[in-house]
Amino acid sequence: MASKKASNKRQRGGQKSSSNVFSMFEQSQIQEFKEAFGCIDQDRDGVIKKQDLKETYAQLGKLNVKEEELDEMLNEGKGPINFTVFLTLFGEKLNGTDPEDTILAAFKPFDPNGTGFVNKDEFRRLLMNQADKFTAEEVDQAFALAPIDPTGNIDYKSLCYIITHGDEKEES
């Protein structure tokens, strides 16, 4: 399982991830994001760092930005913030997609043993009878994307990856 997770992390910075994020926006929007990125990347090295943020804030007249606030911003990227990561962060914010770890945490109560799987039939019943009750059609749409094994269990870790990074099958 650890190797799959490491593989997923490598893919985030790879071509698959970037092609998904670039397809989320119109070309004109991407150009606007490039301009904004260029304004923030003060030293023009292709990566937004704390000093870049400090200088950007200073240009906007805000001189006393707390270090913790800057660290929080940078930590949203979970690594160096290059243009692809910058675009991904905006895509998540604009499209309302929760970060992968938030979605995984939402599945944890349904997987008390931490297997990475939830029973499809039990999960269907819960979705249709709890909180914001789903219709049968909505559940079917959600399950159409879900990787379901032959025993009827949803691989929710893979599903979370599909939700946050796109379905690799859609790109072929």
Side-chain angles (χ1 to χ4, degrees), residues 91-111:
E92 288 172 354
K93 300 277 187 222
L94 295 174
N95 292 323
T97 303
D98 287 321
E100 193 170 352
D101 54 349
T102 302
I103 299 170
L104 285 171
F107 276 98
K108 293 240 186 276
F110 307 108
D111 181 23

Side-chain angles (χ1 to χ4, degrees), residues 88-146:
T88 301
L89 290 170
F90 272 96
E92 288 172 354
K93 300 277 187 222
L94 295 174
N95 292 323
T97 303
D98 287 321
E100 193 170 352
D101 54 349
T102 302
I103 299 170
L104 285 171
F107 276 98
K108 293 240 186 276
F110 307 108
D111 181 23
N113 298 326
T115 62
F117 293 89
V118 293
N119 180 274
K120 179 185 85 163
D121 295 330
E122 175 63 12
F123 199 60
R124 171 185 285 280
R125 188 187 65 73
L126 289 168
L127 288 172
M128 293 177 69
N129 295 303
Q130 303 288 320
D132 295 339
K133 295 178 177 92
F134 280 56
T135 66
E137 185 179 314
E138 289 170 329
V139 173
D140 290 341
Q141 285 176 341
F143 285 2
L145 281 178

Side-chain angles (χ1 to χ4, degrees), residues 53 66-77 81:
L53 292 175
K66 293 179 182 167
E67 292 288 318
E68 301 83 42
E69 193 177 340
L70 297 172
D71 289 336
E72 269 183 48
M73 287 181 208
L74 292 171
N75 288 338
E76 281 192 52
I81 300 179

Side-chain angles (χ1 to χ4, degrees), residues 6 23 26 34 44 64 70 73-74 78 126 131 133 143 147 151 164 168 172:
S23 68
E26 300 290 325
K34 270 186 186 168
R44 305 282 186 254
N64 298 325
L70 297 172
M73 287 181 208
L74 292 171
K78 294 180 178 52
L126 289 168
K133 295 178 177 92
F143 285 2
T151 61
T164 57
E168 293 174 1
S172 302

